[in-house]
């Protein structure tokens, strides 16, 4: 399920609002500069779709499917059990980054801030509710023909829910915090001055995350689980620490248990693949005899505190989108994307070397820097090949997948097609088409 949830981020801005002429978050595009609705000093350029963004989204969709379907056979590309990153750990940040870039187009012109805010809230709410249905536990796995979920046990957070939160916060920043000023943006300094409030929000989020993660006391805690034979097992996890970043005693999990309730968290966390919790590590396997008490505890990789850093990733993507909106020359764009991306990569690896390890489940600062910097450089490479060099025909399959990401997500990534096909069987539910082709159990 960890892999499957990573797929769900494709729903946000699946191919919409990526034209260089811009939009207004739901209105028809108008010829005004981004800001308070002031008239543009020069006519707006023709609307031309940024193909590289669709290709980037499509490649990420393909990567998502690859790590989900092959990750079980090749653990090296599956999610890291805890510290460190693998190929799968880049999928979610890439999607959040893409959402941020898209928002720069969606809210390039905002003639009515209140109306744009209303539409942003409604979009985020719809996305959150879709996440509850698709990721809350209603749809059955391929090997379990039951469906439905008890409300008191529904998973409240998830990838779609986190995307909804990041989308809403970043959209509100773009609508309300942009500094209106006349004239064109001709330098990076003017760009920073216009959007410095966005950067301040990002800084506040980072500081808040670090202060809570390393300064909050995590007490001992207890939990219960019910085994398949209906036996109730009780566990005590001894903590009493500050600043711990291990699976059992981190502040990220404590906040989720306190605010959301442990019964509403993800029940198959990735740390079940660690050496402490699996004799077949890095694969899921039986628990060792001396397994720690936290091994079977629920933990949500899309929790509340770690979502702060996902918002930072989205805000960074937004700044990349601002460069596209305000700078039209290829060289200007590439330089203004590459420099901050390289700085983020350097900072992230430095933090990792000094002990602030990259961790997807905690969405650590080093993980945020490395994955966001990689997304920026990857986008530069795609932009060079597709929009600058013109290699659009070879990239067409990825462009198509990027434009239809939502359809792929619903039908393939969330197992809707397999679930529907599985409903047709011969005499016994287990005798279905999926079993015939070797997918079902």
């Amino acid at each position: 399920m960890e892999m499957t949830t990573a797929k769900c981020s494709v729903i946000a801005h699946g191919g919409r609002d990526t034209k260089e002429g811009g939009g207004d978050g739901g209105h028809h595009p108008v010829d005004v500069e981004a800001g308070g609705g002031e008239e543009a000093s020069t006519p707006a350029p023709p609307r031309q779709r940024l193909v590289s963004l669709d290709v980037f989204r499509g490649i990420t969709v393909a990567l998502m499917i690859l790590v989900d379907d092959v990750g079980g056979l090749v653990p090296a590309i599956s999610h890291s059990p805890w510290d460190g990153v693998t190929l799968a750990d880049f999928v979610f940040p890439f999607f959040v980054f893409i959402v941020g870039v898209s928002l720069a187009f969606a809210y390039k012109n905002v003639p009515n801030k209140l109306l744009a805010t209303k539409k942003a809230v409604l979009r985020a709410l719809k996305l959150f509710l879709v996440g509850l249905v698709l990721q809350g536990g209603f749809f059955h796995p391929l090997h379990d023909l039951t469906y439905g979920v008890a409300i008191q046990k529904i998973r409240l957070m998830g990838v779609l829910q986190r995307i909804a939160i990041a989308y809403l916060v970043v959209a509100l920043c773009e609508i309300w915090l942009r500094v209106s000023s006349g004239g064109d943006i001709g330098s990076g300094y003017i760009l920073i001055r216009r959007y410095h409030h966005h950067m301040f929000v990002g800084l506040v989020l980072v500081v808040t995350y670090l202060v809570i993660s390393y300064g909050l006391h995590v007490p001992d805690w207890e939990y219960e689980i019910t085994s398949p034979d209906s036996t109730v097992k009780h566990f005590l996890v001894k903590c009493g620490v500050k600043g711990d970043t291990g699976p059992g005693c981190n502040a990220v999990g404590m906040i989720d248990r306190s605010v959301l309730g442990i019964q509403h968290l993800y029940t198959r966390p990735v740390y079940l693949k660690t050496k402490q919790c699996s004799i077949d590590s890095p694969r899921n396997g039986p628990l060792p005899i001396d397994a720690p008490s936290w091994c079977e505890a629920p933990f949500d990789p899309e929790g509340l505190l770690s979502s702060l850093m996902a918002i930072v990733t989205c805000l960074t993507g937004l700044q990349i989108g601002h460069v596209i909106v305000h700078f039209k020359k290829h060289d200007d764009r590439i330089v203004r994307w590459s420099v901050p991306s390289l700085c983020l990569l350097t900072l992230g690896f430095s933090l990792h070397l000094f002990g602030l390890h990259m961790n997807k489940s905690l969405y650590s600062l080093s993980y945020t820097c490395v994955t966001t910097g990689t997304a920026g450089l990857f986008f530069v490479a795609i932009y060079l090949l597709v929009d600058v060099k013109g290699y659009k025909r070879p990239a067409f399959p990825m462009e198509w997948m990027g434009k239809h990401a939502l359809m792929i997500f619903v039908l393939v990534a969330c197992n809707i097609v397999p679930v529907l096909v599985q409903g047709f069987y011969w005499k016994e539910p287990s005798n279905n088409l999926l079993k015939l082709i070797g997918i079902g159990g």
Side-chain angles (χ1 to χ4, degrees):
M1 185 64 180
E2 172 73 12
M3 290 292 186
T4 303
T5 57
K7 296 175 175 181
C8 299
S9 53
V10 299
I11 193 171
H13 279 77
R16 297 180 303 160
D17 301 328
T18 56
K19 296 182 179 179
E20 296 197 47
D24 62 352
H27 299 81
H28 295 291
V30 292
D31 295 331
V32 295
E33 181 67 14
E38 66 268 24
E39 293 184 3
S41 58
T42 57
R47 297 179 69 193
Q48 183 178 2
R49 193 175 190 91
L50 193 67
V51 177
S52 54
L53 189 60
D54 288 323
V55 173
F56 188 7
R57 187 186 292 108
I59 291 175
T60 309
V61 170
L63 179 63
M64 169 191 71
I65 296 173
L66 172 68
V67 298
D68 187 47
D69 295 339
V70 182
L73 302 175
V74 186
I77 68 172
S78 183
H79 287 289
S80 174
W82 197 247
D83 288 335
V85 292
T86 64
L87 186 62
D89 295 321
F90 286 88
V91 173
F92 178 78
F94 279 14
F95 278 122
V96 183
F97 179 88
I98 293 169
V99 171
V101 176
S102 300
L103 280 170
F105 299 103
Y107 295 99
K108 179 179 183 292
N109 304 304
V110 187
N112 189 324
K113 293 184 178 182
L114 290 177
L115 182 58
T117 299
K118 178 182 176 181
K119 291 187 175 182
V121 171
L122 289 175
R123 285 178 179 174
L125 182 59
K126 291 176 183 178
L127 192 59
F128 196 96
L129 293 177
V130 170
L132 283 179
V133 173
L134 294 177
Q135 296 180 261
F138 182 85
F139 288 100
H140 65 74
L142 293 180
H143 300 286
D144 182 2
L145 294 182
T146 62
Y147 70 94
V149 58
I151 298 299
Q152 67 270 24
K153 295 182 180 180
I154 190 171
R155 183 187 176 195
L156 296 177
M157 292 296 291
V159 172
L160 288 184
Q161 294 91 313
R162 172 175 278 180
I163 289 287
I165 294 171
Y167 169 87
L168 179 59
V169 173
V170 175
L172 293 178
C173 287
E174 185 69 349
I175 293 169
W176 292 100
L177 299 184
R178 181 170 46 199
V179 176
S180 300
S181 59
D184 296 330
I185 292 180
S187 68
Y189 170 74
I190 299 176
L191 185 70
I192 292 174
R193 189 174 66 183
R194 174 169 289 193
Y195 298 107
H196 70 277
H197 289 138
H198 300 65
M199 300 175 189
F200 179 74
V201 170
L203 178 61
V204 169
L205 292 175
V206 171
V207 172
T208 301
Y209 172 85
L210 293 176
V211 169
I212 296 177
S213 295
Y214 292 94
L216 198 64
H217 179 265
V218 180
D220 300 344
W221 54 283
E222 302 175 76
Y223 71 98
E224 292 181 347
I225 62 170
T226 303
S227 59
D229 60 357
S230 299
T231 302
V232 178
K233 295 190 290 184
H234 181 86
F235 297 92
L236 170 65
V237 183
K238 299 189 71 65
C239 294
V241 295
K242 287 183 180 180
D244 190 278
T245 57
C249 297
N250 58 78
V252 171
M254 188 199 73
I255 289 178
D256 289 336
R257 292 190 298 271
S258 301
V259 178
L260 302 177
I262 194 169
Q263 72 275 15
H264 295 296
L265 304 184
Y266 186 49
T267 57
R268 294 183 295 277
V270 70
Y271 56 63
L272 280 171
K273 299 189 297 181
T274 60
K275 292 181 180 179
Q276 299 101 308
C277 301
S278 172
I279 62 175
D280 296 328
S281 179
R283 292 181 172 88
N284 286 310
L287 289 170
I289 298 177
D290 58 346
S293 57
W294 45 259
C295 277
E296 298 181 80
F299 179 90
D300 210 309
E302 282 80 42
L304 297 173
L305 181 59
S306 54
S307 291
L308 299 183
M309 300 304 291
I311 297 171
V312 173
T313 297
C314 195
L315 279 169
T316 307
L318 179 68
Q319 306 314 310
I320 297 296
H322 288 155
V323 173
I324 302 172
V325 170
H326 296 292
F327 295 90
K328 301 306 177 184
K329 293 182 179 180
H330 295 313
D331 291 345
D332 289 339
R333 290 177 171 179
I334 290 171
V335 170
R336 286 173 171 82
W337 293 338
S338 300
V339 172
S341 297
L342 287 170
C343 290
L344 284 171
L345 270 177
T346 303
L347 176 60
F349 281 114
S350 299
L351 292 171
H352 181 75
L353 291 174
F354 282 101
L356 197 66
H357 298 299
M358 288 181 276
N359 187 295
K360 190 263 182 187
S361 295
L362 300 180
Y363 219 115
S364 63
L365 178 57
S366 56
Y367 171 78
T368 303
C369 292
V370 168
T371 54
T372 306
T374 302
L377 292 178
F378 191 35
F379 184 43
V380 169
I382 297 172
Y383 180 79
L384 274 170
L385 290 173
V386 176
D387 286 310
V388 178
K389 299 298 183 181
Y391 294 113
K392 297 181 180 180
R393 183 169 296 180
F396 176 76
M398 295 297 102
E399 180 187 359
W400 183 89
M401 290 183 69
K403 289 180 178 179
H404 299 86
L406 175 58
M407 179 185 68
I408 295 172
F409 158 70
V410 172
L411 297 180
V412 180
C414 285
N415 289 329
I416 299 301
V417 169
V419 166
L420 292 175
V421 172
Q422 199 177 40
F424 296 91
Y425 58 87
W426 178 257
K427 294 184 178 180
E428 297 293 334
S430 59
N431 296 326
N432 55 66
L433 291 176
L434 290 185
K435 182 180 179 180
L436 181 65
I437 62 179
I439 298 178

